[in-house]
Amino acid sequence: MVYFCSQMTPFHPLNSPYPSPERFTYPFCYEPHPLCIAAADELKRHLATEPAIGTDARNGKMFGVLVVSDETGRRGFLAAYSGLLAGRNDWPYFVPPVFDAQQPDGYFKQKEREISRLAESGDAAHRSLSQSLQRWLFHQYRMLNALGEEKDLVEIWHDYHSERVRHQFPLPPGGSGDCCAPKLLQYAYRHRLHPLAMAEFWMGRSPRGEIRYEGQFYPACRGKCLPILTFMLRGLDVDPNPLALRTPLASLCIVYDEPAFAVVDKPAGLLSVPGKDQLPSVVSLLRERWPEAECIRPAHRLDMDTSGLLVVAKTEAAYAALQAQFVRHEVTKRYEALLTPSDEGRGTAGECNTTHLPKASQTIRLPLRPDPLDRPRQVVDWQHGKTAVTEYAFTDDNRVSLWPHTGRTHQLRVHCAHPEGLGRPIVGDALYGHSGDRLCLHAAELTLRHPADGHELHFVSPPPF
């Protein structure tokens, strides 16, 4: 039975004039529904009245809301937080964990203490025992979906991934099942509540290595939640992936063309190379344009949302010669970006270090690595990250030229947004800043040597923003 009268039960009434959405949220790319925004506002007000958990939330925590209806059609919302909050996973305002492994006298905690003692004594057996305990724990997480099916996390992991991935990673990542979205959906299914819309948002300070903004909504993480939510959303009418609905682009602007290679001006929203979703790409469009070419191979990459100059080889010999220049950092690339105004870019991700904007060229050095649980997001990691160096110079208060001296994934986007970089995300950067009509990052200039005779070539493309 679901009770509606107490604010200390997981179901919270939601009085809002907005109609319910026709389909459920696609959790990995979405704009929050107005009902979710209203629910998030209610949750924030609750956190402000609870000092014990509100203070810990200020240290940085992901929260989630799930708008639901009961069997009579009455709407309300459920709330959740990822992991632990103030050391607990059982605060009464929020949905409970899928499985409570935090009981001091429970099997998991007893075995965990035993394994810790073995590790401290130098007994190598603690490693295999730890993996066995982790497997046992994942078997306790028996997840539901809208069809009434039930599987544990190990089954879900193995069903989702290929044999190659399962061989390398036989178990899900630690903490799987404890993120907001799985907890919210599990409670709804258990209590016969119909999910209508869902959203997750960040509260408090940003971790040093990541870029999170107070009150901003974020997609579900892919490393932990993609396999789980793929299973849990079965039986719901879910919005399609917005990226798959983008209008295919019929043509590319060809800046330079000869038999060995070409330079194109890639629009924002177009992949450089084909991806898993079979979306149009520079390669697929150019194969149609030049079917007689020996090959169509970009010598470097631009992010899907980045526009600008891209070099594409049409012969294997040209590809080898061009890519070698990029590998040896002999190609000069200048990007132009439009940054959020300084008073908008700070948030709780850190203080902007460009209060007095420099006009002369300066350098950012922040090492980067992928976040394995939330690809393609990159994080700053001073211990394990790879060297990433960007030279920059402001042309006015909000526009900056960027010269990458290394080619790390999302390097320019992170170096602009991170508080130890410019502390100001690029306009339209939904991953490291705030969503917009487009990512205002453009590959504006390119200087390289001809792959055959070595003479210098210089190309320019004015930014479209």
Side-chain angles (χ1 to χ4, degrees):
M1 180 177 293
V2 180
Y3 296 91
F4 301 105
C5 58
S6 172
Q7 282 297 95
M8 297 310 288
T9 61
F11 186 99
H12 309 288
L14 184 62
N15 298 316
S16 173
Y18 292 104
S20 299
E22 295 182 3
R23 292 183 296 268
F24 189 71
T25 312
Y26 178 75
F28 302 102
C29 184
Y30 65 90
E31 288 293 329
H33 190 273
L35 290 174
C36 289
I37 295 174
D41 289 341
E42 289 289 335
L43 173 51
K44 293 172 188 176
R45 282 191 282 271
H46 172 75
L47 292 174
T49 66
E50 295 287 339
I53 59 177
T55 300
D56 191 59
R58 298 303 305 169
N59 293 326
K61 177 64 64 176
M62 192 71 77
F63 290 88
V65 290
L66 175 66
V67 179
V68 296
S69 63
D70 70 355
E71 292 173 309
T72 70
R74 185 178 183 183
R75 294 190 313 201
F77 74 92
L78 308 174
Y81 50 87
S82 61
L84 302 177
L85 182 60
R88 288 174 52 180
N89 63 1
D90 59 351
W91 290 102
Y93 184 91
F94 301 90
V95 300
V98 176
F99 177 76
D100 189 358
Q102 298 300 313
Q103 296 298 322
D105 298 326
Y107 177 83
F108 181 80
K109 282 298 183 183
Q110 290 185 49
K111 287 295 183 180
E112 193 176 52
R113 289 192 291 268
E114 178 184 329
I115 292 170
S116 295
R117 287 193 294 268
L118 289 174
E120 291 172 0
S121 68
D123 192 330
H126 77 275
R127 293 186 179 88
S128 61
L129 290 174
S130 179
Q131 187 175 41
S132 295
L133 180 60
Q134 190 70 59
R135 179 179 290 274
W136 175 88
L137 179 63
F138 286 144
H139 282 308
Q140 310 313 304
Y141 283 75
R142 299 202 58 82
M143 316 305 292
L144 298 170
N145 64 24
L147 298 175
E149 299 169 335
E150 185 177 37
K151 289 186 178 182
D152 67 43
L153 290 183
V154 177
E155 292 177 292
I156 291 172
W157 181 261
H158 286 187
D159 287 348
Y160 182 84
H161 286 292
S162 66
E163 183 178 353
R164 179 184 62 81
V165 174
R166 296 196 305 268
H167 178 74
Q168 187 176 4
F169 303 102
L171 294 178
S176 293
D178 290 324
C179 295
C180 299
K183 292 198 290 188
L184 290 166
L185 288 170
Q186 185 80 351
Y187 186 90
Y189 295 144
R190 286 279 186 217
H191 294 80
R192 298 183 180 179
L193 299 170
H194 179 65
L196 298 174
M198 184 168 61
E200 298 180 60
F201 63 95
W202 183 263
M203 289 289 289
R205 291 189 291 272
S206 176
R208 187 186 179 200
E210 296 184 59
I211 301 167
R212 301 288 188 184
Y213 290 91
E214 173 85 31
Q216 180 154 324
F217 291 89
Y218 288 94
C221 68
R222 302 183 73 87
K224 294 179 183 179
C225 289
L226 182 56
I228 300 173
L229 295 185
T230 298
F231 170 77
M232 296 189 80
L233 292 177
R234 290 178 186 170
L236 288 182
D237 187 10
V238 180
D239 282 333
N241 180 357
L243 297 180
L245 298 178
R246 290 182 173 178
T247 304
L249 296 162
S251 62
L252 281 170
C253 175
I254 309 298
V255 177
Y256 179 85
D257 183 20
E258 65 168 75
F261 76 105
V263 178
V264 302
D265 197 339
K266 186 186 86 65
L270 183 67
L271 290 167
S272 294
V273 298
K276 295 180 180 179
D277 297 326
Q278 304 302 314
L279 298 177
S281 67
V282 170
V283 169
S284 66
L285 294 178
L286 292 184
R287 280 175 179 164
E288 294 178 5
R289 185 184 183 100
W290 297 314
E292 75 287 351
E294 179 182 334
C295 70
I296 298 292
R297 300 184 68 179
H300 59 122
R301 301 282 181 90
L302 293 178
D303 290 346
M304 182 178 188
D305 294 325
T306 302
S307 59
L309 298 169
L310 183 70
V311 183
V312 181
K314 293 197 272 184
T315 68
E316 293 293 348
Y319 174 75
L322 290 166
Q323 192 183 49
Q325 294 183 52
F326 283 95
V327 170
R328 294 193 296 262
H329 307 295
E330 297 171 352
V331 179
T332 300
K333 296 175 287 182
R334 183 183 72 85
Y335 291 74
E336 194 162 323
L338 187 64
L339 305 184
T340 56
S342 57
D343 57 345
E344 295 179 17
R346 297 182 185 184
T348 56
E351 289 301 317
C352 173
N353 67 0
T354 56
T355 303
H356 303 291
L357 298 174
K359 299 300 181 182
S361 172
Q362 297 192 30
T363 302
I364 300 168
R365 299 176 184 273
L366 292 176
L368 303 178
R369 66 163 175 81
D371 181 348
L373 301 181
D374 197 13
R375 293 180 183 272
R377 181 182 293 274
Q378 305 291 305
V379 298
V380 173
D381 187 335
W382 290 99
Q383 184 176 3
H384 303 292
K386 293 184 178 180
T387 300
V389 181
T390 302
E391 186 180 349
Y392 69 95
F394 280 85
T395 56
D396 61 35
D397 286 355
N398 298 321
R399 192 174 290 269
V400 64
S401 286
L402 303 157
W403 294 269
H405 294 289
T406 50
R408 309 300 176 202
T409 300
H410 294 180
Q411 174 177 320
L412 301 181
R413 297 166 67 177
V414 176
H415 280 186
C416 286
H418 196 274
E420 294 179 63
L422 297 183
R424 295 173 58 185
I426 297 171
V427 169
D429 191 344
L431 196 57
Y432 303 105
H434 312 281
S435 60
D437 293 337
R438 62 152 292 171
L439 175 71
C440 291
L441 177 63
H442 183 77
E445 287 191 64
L446 190 68
T447 302
L448 50 79
R449 290 180 289 102
H450 192 283
D453 60 27
H455 75 271
E456 186 175 279
L457 297 169
H458 180 67
F459 305 98
V460 177
S461 168
F465 48 80

